[in-house]
Amino acid sequence: MTPTSWAVTRLLRDRNAALYLTGVVVSGFGTSALWLVSGVWVKDLTGSDGLAALCTAALWAPTLLGPALGTLADRVRRKPLLICVNLGLAGLLLPLVAVDSPASVWLLFTVLVLYGAAGVVEDAAESALVVAAVDPALLGDFNGLRMTAREGMKLVAPLTGAALYTAYGGPSVALLDACTFVLAAGLCALLRVREERPGRARGGWRRQTAEGVRLLWGHPALRPLVRAGGATMCLASLGSSLNYAVVAALGHSPAYTGVTYAVQGVGSVGVGLVAGPALRRLGERGFAAWGIALTGVAVAGRVVECDMALLACSLAGGLGLPCVLIAAYTAVQREIPAAALGRATATADTLMFTPNVVGLAVGAALVELVDHRLLLLLFGGALLATAGSLAQRNASRTAARSPSDANPA
């Protein structure tokens, strides 16, 4: 049995890990279905492309408040919090059965914003709870499998959601998503985790939030990883904003981008299976640097006007892009004290995913002004430079170690 299959088998045999990953699959299925359907729903009701696009912005907007929202995950026990958040999300989705006209679209946007805020809290609490529920030696393997589970749902859930929406309308998808959260709450309740009640908070909410930010940004090993993650997400989103231009240059319709997204998803599923052994061999920075470099090659390679080259680059992008995220989250879980892990994780989310939104907006404007091939080479080169800088830092840090570090007296 290979090290990869051994680690995966060991995780899946672990009761807590298996329950948690099943919960990720279940809730991720509903979330991915609603993510696609919400835009289609708004478009059908209002006829507005702009309002439809705002659905994604509404889901992502609460990420900006990540450090403050993540503080909640450090003030209470994480397992009860996760159960309450999942049940709360199930209840939050029920009013969507009343969205049936342009006048009621505001209700959908309100739900999406609250949905996104609850998701930030949930991610922070999950990341902190995982440290207590899973063998620390397998955190990298676990984070990789979590990525595999989430990306796998993105391959199948949107199609299911679209079919359900076509047959029964938007409320049916909302009800499906609500059911998945009820199931996820039940799975979370079955986790066997011993949690101490958090100590009395020192200072107010603002002070605790600031403390979480300082712990993350002031950490010499985490700051370069998170900074590289933010740069990578920004540059990758700048590149993805050119997808329609790339597809048009090959003579395909815009719908062909769906094929490239599917191939990219296959790559993201695959990298999660090997993340653990790669992290053990290369370390967090090394693993992230290789992934960023592969992403840079994938972005720049799209200048080659050939179907096979495009699909190969899509696969390479799917393999490379998640690496820095998996590495960053694993490093945060290893380095940050458990009492502040919720805040630190949410802060990392904000720093890495906010540039993603900025990149999409800037890229959409640039593609109208500059030849997309020049932009692809520029963004790909910037990604390679980011990878090189992170690898150089990693090499310098390794070289700075004394032989006595490995053989202490």
Side-chain angles (χ1 to χ4, degrees):
M1 185 177 288
T2 65
T4 300
S5 61
W6 178 84
V8 170
T9 301
R10 183 178 168 188
L11 272 172
L12 294 179
R13 286 179 177 175
D14 181 89
R15 185 176 186 274
N16 282 337
L19 284 170
Y20 182 87
L21 289 170
T22 304
V24 170
V25 170
V26 169
S27 62
F29 183 90
T31 297
S32 296
L34 185 69
W35 170 76
L36 170 70
V37 165
S38 60
V40 178
W41 197 352
V42 169
K43 170 67 175 177
D44 284 346
L45 289 176
T46 66
S48 170
D49 290 328
L51 287 176
L54 277 178
C55 289
T56 301
L59 280 169
W60 279 101
T63 306
L64 296 171
L65 302 175
L69 292 171
T71 300
L72 177 60
D74 292 333
R75 294 173 72 100
V76 298
R77 287 186 298 152
R78 279 76 179 248
K79 178 181 170 179
L81 175 62
L82 282 172
I83 294 172
C84 290
V85 169
N86 278 299
L87 292 176
L89 281 166
L92 176 68
L93 290 163
L94 297 181
L96 293 184
V97 299
V99 177
D100 57 2
S101 67
S104 58
V105 165
W106 68 270
L107 179 59
L108 176 56
F109 280 107
T110 301
V111 168
L112 290 176
V113 171
L114 294 175
Y115 191 108
V120 173
V121 175
E122 185 174 39
D123 284 345
E126 284 180 348
S127 182
L129 187 62
V130 161
V131 175
V134 176
D135 184 346
L138 296 176
L139 279 175
D141 301 270
F142 183 86
N143 288 325
L145 282 180
R146 180 168 58 177
M147 179 70 69
T148 293
R150 288 181 172 174
E151 293 301 320
M153 287 304 97
K154 290 178 183 179
L155 292 177
V156 298
L159 294 176
T160 304
L164 194 60
Y165 175 82
T166 301
Y168 301 107
S172 65
V173 181
L175 291 175
L176 169 67
D177 198 10
C179 290
T180 65
F181 281 118
V182 172
L183 288 173
L187 290 166
C188 185
L190 294 174
L191 290 173
R192 295 173 181 169
V193 182
R194 178 175 294 180
E195 289 188 276
E196 298 292 336
R197 186 178 297 277
R200 183 165 182 167
R202 293 180 298 174
W205 200 285
R206 180 180 298 178
R207 179 178 174 181
Q208 283 194 295
T209 299
E211 181 184 3
V213 174
R214 284 195 300 270
L215 278 171
L216 178 74
W217 196 247
H219 197 291
L222 298 179
R223 185 173 60 249
L225 263 177
V226 172
R227 189 163 53 199
T232 300
M233 294 303 292
C234 180
L235 290 165
S237 63
L238 283 166
S240 67
S241 66
L242 308 176
N243 284 349
Y244 290 107
V246 171
V247 167
L250 290 173
H252 296 299
S253 70
Y256 190 75
T257 55
V259 177
T260 65
Y261 288 138
V263 174
Q264 181 176 331
V266 171
S268 296
V269 169
V271 74
L273 298 174
V274 300
L279 281 167
R280 283 188 286 274
R281 182 176 180 83
L282 302 172
E284 281 94 357
R285 289 196 196 184
F287 180 58
W290 277 105
I292 297 169
L294 186 58
T295 306
V297 172
V299 170
R302 297 186 185 206
V303 299
V304 179
E305 296 184 355
C306 165
D307 282 349
M308 290 303 298
L310 176 58
L311 295 178
C313 288
S314 298
L315 181 64
L319 288 168
L321 186 58
C323 294
V324 67
L325 302 178
I326 296 171
Y329 289 132
T330 302
V332 169
Q333 289 169 329
R334 293 192 195 281
E335 300 291 339
I336 296 296
L341 195 48
R343 286 164 283 172
T345 298
T347 300
D349 275 342
T350 298
L351 294 174
M352 290 193 293
F353 285 107
T354 299
N356 182 54
V357 180
V358 175
L360 288 170
V362 173
L366 284 176
V367 73
E368 300 293 336
L369 304 173
V370 184
D371 187 284
H372 73 276
R373 290 165 293 189
L374 177 61
L375 291 174
L376 287 170
L377 291 174
L378 178 64
F379 300 151
L383 282 163
L384 290 172
T386 301
S389 175
L390 190 61
Q392 185 176 21
R393 286 176 176 272
N394 188 48
S396 299
R397 185 178 177 216
T398 303
R401 294 176 179 169
S402 165
S404 61
D405 292 338
N407 299 283

